[in-house]
Amino acid sequence: MGRAKRVVLAYSGGVDTSVCIPYLMNEWGVEEVITLAADLGQGEELGPIQKKALKCGAVESLVEDATEVFVTDYAFPAIQANTLYENRYPLSTALARPLIAKLLVEAAAKYGADAVAHGCTGKGNDQVRFDVGITALNPNLKVLAPAREWGMSREEAITYGEKFGIESPVKKSSPYSIDRNLLGRSVEAGPLEDPMVEPPEEVFAMTKAIADTPDEAEYVEIGFEKGIPISVNGNKLAPVALISQLNEIVGKHGIGRIDMIENRVVGIKSREIYETPALLVLIQAHRDLESLTLTADVTGYKRGIEQTYGELIYKGLWYSPLKPALDAFIQQTQETVSGSVRVKLFKGSAVIVGRQSANSIYAPDLATYGADDQFDHKAAEGFIYIWGLPTRVWSEKHRKG
Ligand code: ARG
């Protein structure tokens, strides 16, 4: 008796997930492997990947174009929540995982599979996101993670695959582990494992080196409606086009690189290089528009919610009950976050230089230092007396000398 009869495997076309196919069948007694490759805007042809899965022994090879849902249902809520894990990483890889988990669970239901599988190892965050996501969506499904158990090195996995006709990678394999989708690239391993080593230029693909960026600044105006980006320089754009276009514009100026040591869910510190040009600038612009349209107390309270939301995404809790509860708060705050933000892009930095909104609560007649000032200066005195009263009383009691 095997661990499962029919399995839907998350498939990327890489060595590890390819080896999973014969491994599941030959070592774990799985009868049928159905693979599922998701297009999340990684800019890779999925046709050859689809064929490769069949060559490796899959009975069925599914390809799902999920780029638009990825942007609208996963990236946009994260932008509305300004999520940055450990204040820096906009979760470009993490956001893809709950969507892939959902596609796996749906395919399992459609094809009558009793388990789903992925090629994650036991050291990363992605296994947590897949396993917890899948369990949340269907607690009756088994989750198989062969690469977590097989104990093979990469070379051993390649040799194992060769026995079943899986070609070893033609190119000299890259020392890096790379994850890529429309939102960004995550690169780790190889020389990057030494935290003191500067990332070689070859690890970047979406952003230019500062030396190669234009010598003139470029301005871009991003329009938002209820916290969702809808236009670039006045042109309304569909979600996927908007992100692609901004990736181009922003990346060209060398903006969007992150080099960080982060704390993984499993307790390991790891060094990751990210490139997320559009996402970073969108969060920056969105946050700025909030400063024009939300009251101080809502903004302040939201910061705490944002922190929790970012951790929830990073830690694989997208389908936990906390998520819709936080969403309810965030969505309520976004009702008035419409308008546009002007960003100046130059030599690796994005600076907000202007913002406007029909819902602006910036009141020029209160803010001005000019003659038409409407603020009641005399009222400040009484306010300050009462505001400072507890401190004054404390001081009268405890002041030394
Ligand atoms: N550290 C990132 C995260 O947990 C990315 C993980 C995948 N990284 C990679 N280079 N394959 O979301």
Side-chain angles (χ1 to χ4, degrees), residues 89 91-94 97 125-126 129 177-179 186-189 262 264 270 272 274 314:
Y89 164 45
L91 299 155
S92 42
T93 289
R97 304 315 183 194
N125 294 318
D126 288 329
R129 298 168 186 151
S177 157
I178 302 172
D179 179 69
S186 306
V187 188
E188 63 182 345
E262 72 191 40
R264 285 190 194 164
S270 63
E272 190 100 45
Y274 298 104
Y314 190 85

Side-chain angles (χ1 to χ4, degrees), residues 211-256:
D212 302 328
T213 58
D215 290 325
E216 236 166 77
E218 180 172 355
Y219 291 85
V220 64
E221 187 165 333
I222 306 170
F224 289 88
E225 198 172 304
K226 298 193 177 182
I228 287 172
I230 52 156
S231 67
V232 173
N233 294 329
N235 303 315
K236 280 227 156 53
L237 289 172
V240 174
L242 185 136
I243 303 277
S244 324
Q245 200 162 314
L246 269 182
N247 273 337
E248 285 290 322
I249 301 175
V250 173
K252 196 170 71 198
H253 291 275
I255 298 157

